[in-house]
Amino acid sequence: MKIRVLGAGAGGGFPQWNCNCHNCHRIRHGDMQGRSRTQSSIAVSADGSRWVLFNASPDIRSQLEAFPDAWPKTGVRDSGIKAIVLIDSQIDHTTGLLMLRESTVPLEIYCSEMVRQDLTSGFPLFTMLQHYCGVNQHELPLDGDAFTIPGIDGLRFYSHSLKSIAPPYSPRRHHPQDGDNIGVIVEDLSSGKRLYYAPGLGEIEPHVLAAMQSVDCLLVDGTFWVNDEMGRAGICDKRALDLGHLPQSGPGGMMEVLGTIPGPRKILIHINNTNPILDDASPERQQLDTVGIEVAYDGLEINL
Ligand code: MLT
Ligand code: MN
Ligand code: ZN
């Protein structure tokens, strides 16, 4: 299985257009050892030519141009992207669907019923796309059951609901339900190798831990280092956990959890621009290095 990180940043990307935080300021002025990052998305393929896109970020245009495997190959209209899985209905994971409106065939979109509802109500992207290429929506299992994607031979997928937070425009923002957010295992049927992808993860429930323990590579929520990171940066009072993101540091944090799972390659993704791990030379980044946790970047390729 081939995995391509298209965008490793959280909503807003890095640097964010209006942000002058310690990181955004320094990356703009060349004062930081690190890389800019576009918004959250990956692509996965068994054969390197037919790809499943996970999330459609507002930066999708430049992400696909930077990714030759996605370029059109045959005919006057074509793409290496054959289907799209949506993890949630957040702006950073769905807005790119509008940029795919020129498709000559309906977009094959795999998402939960909750995400479908958000994208036909509070953020009606599916409704809008009916005036362009149209959408074939396929409902995802929420209990860890398997699903397959026609035309994507060689990969099997398993999706489960997990605890994070629905976006502000969702009717369920303050009334969470199964399917607001999901995690997905991708399994290569020939090698048996497995990936777990969960860029928005607020709580390590038993089935989430079991999924993490069952795979060869983890791409999991790396949004915030500490719970009050945005407050400390003088941005706002919203805490990581209020936004559905488990911080990396501290008791019960992502580092502690990953420390109990010796097997898989561990990579953080969906990194917010305030997170000190974006600075390759920071002590926080050194802590991750010491325990073998990587930080995803745009263009990272993983072969499983
Ligand atoms: C999130 O994951 O919490 C979102 O990225 C927030 C946003 O895009 O505004
Ligand atoms: Mn996000
Ligand atoms: Zn910033």
Side-chain angles (χ1 to χ4, degrees):
M1 164 172 24
K2 290 175 183 293
I3 301 149
R4 164 89 176 199
V5 174
L6 298 176
F14 177 52
Q16 179 178 308
W17 70 282
N18 65 342
C19 191
N20 206 18
C21 76
H22 190 52
N23 284 343
C24 289
H25 181 87
R26 286 183 304 148
I27 195 91
R28 280 197 190 97
H29 294 271
D31 289 340
M32 183 178 137
Q33 207 177 306
R35 309 169 186 235
S36 60
R37 283 166 173 82
T38 62
Q39 293 167 82
S40 180
S41 177
I42 68 169
V44 178
S45 176
D47 60 10
S49 70
R50 303 176 66 84
W51 292 81
V52 180
L53 182 70
F54 281 75
N55 300 318
S57 117
D59 302 313
I60 192 167
R61 210 191 139 275
S62 57
Q63 292 172 346
L64 295 184
E65 280 311 306
F67 180 32
D69 287 352
W71 295 352
K73 297 283 184 323
T74 53
V76 74
R77 299 281 198 186
D78 183 39
S79 169
I81 304 296
K82 302 301 181 192
I84 303 160
V85 176
L86 301 176
I87 290 294
D88 57 37
S89 60
Q90 295 271 6
I91 286 176
D92 59 340
H93 285 158
T94 60
T95 308
L97 294 175
L98 291 178
M99 268 54 86
L100 303 182
R101 67 191 178 284
E102 298 95 349
S103 176
T104 50
V105 291
L107 301 177
E108 299 292 336
I109 300 184
Y110 293 74
C111 67
S112 70
E113 168 58 16
M114 294 303 146
V115 167
R116 189 197 66 78
Q117 286 179 17
D118 288 350
L119 298 182
T120 50
S121 62
F123 190 26
L125 295 178
F126 286 2
T127 315
M128 293 168 70
L129 285 167
Q130 295 311 334
H131 300 279
Y132 297 90
C133 55
V135 167
N136 283 334
Q137 188 252 345
H138 308 266
E139 189 175 342
L140 291 182
L142 298 180
D143 52 4
D145 273 3
F147 68 97
T148 53
I149 298 181
I152 304 293
D153 301 330
L155 295 181
R156 189 189 288 141
F157 307 81
Y158 305 81
S159 52
H160 58 218
S161 186
L162 50 76
K163 292 214 186 320
S164 189
I165 303 278
Y169 40 82
S170 169
R172 297 175 314 283
R173 172 75 163 182
H174 303 292
H175 308 281
Q177 280 193 37
D178 283 358
D180 288 341
N181 305 84
I182 60 162
V184 181
I185 291 174
V186 186
E187 183 175 57
D188 185 306
L189 294 174
S190 60
S191 69
K193 299 280 187 188
R194 286 153 67 92
L195 164 77
Y196 183 57
Y197 178 57
L201 178 52
E203 192 180 318
I204 309 294
E205 301 165 89
H207 67 276
V208 171
L209 187 63
M212 289 176 155
Q213 289 165 337
S214 78
V215 298
D216 303 280
C217 181
L218 296 167
L219 275 172
V220 292
D221 193 331
T223 314
F224 297 111
W225 180 256
V226 285
N227 199 26
D228 61 348
E229 187 167 306
M230 302 233 271
R232 288 187 194 194
I235 294 169
C236 66
D237 295 338
K238 287 183 197 143
R239 288 167 180 263
L241 288 166
D242 300 335
L243 295 168
H245 298 293
L246 182 70
Q248 280 105 61
S249 61
M254 189 64 86
M255 278 179 68
E256 191 180 286
V257 173
L258 296 183
T260 68
I261 307 172
R265 184 172 172 188
K266 304 164 200 169
I267 309 173
L268 300 173
I269 196 163
H270 190 277
I271 321 295
N272 197 58
N273 57 71
T274 49
N275 193 327
I277 64 175
L278 288 169
D279 181 344
D280 296 347
S282 66
E284 293 83 357
R285 184 60 171 271
Q286 277 159 26
Q287 277 189 59
L288 292 181
D289 288 347
T290 308
V291 293
I293 299 175
E294 301 170 55
V295 180
Y297 54 87
D298 294 16
L300 172 63
E301 290 191 339
I302 302 159
N303 287 303
L304 280 187

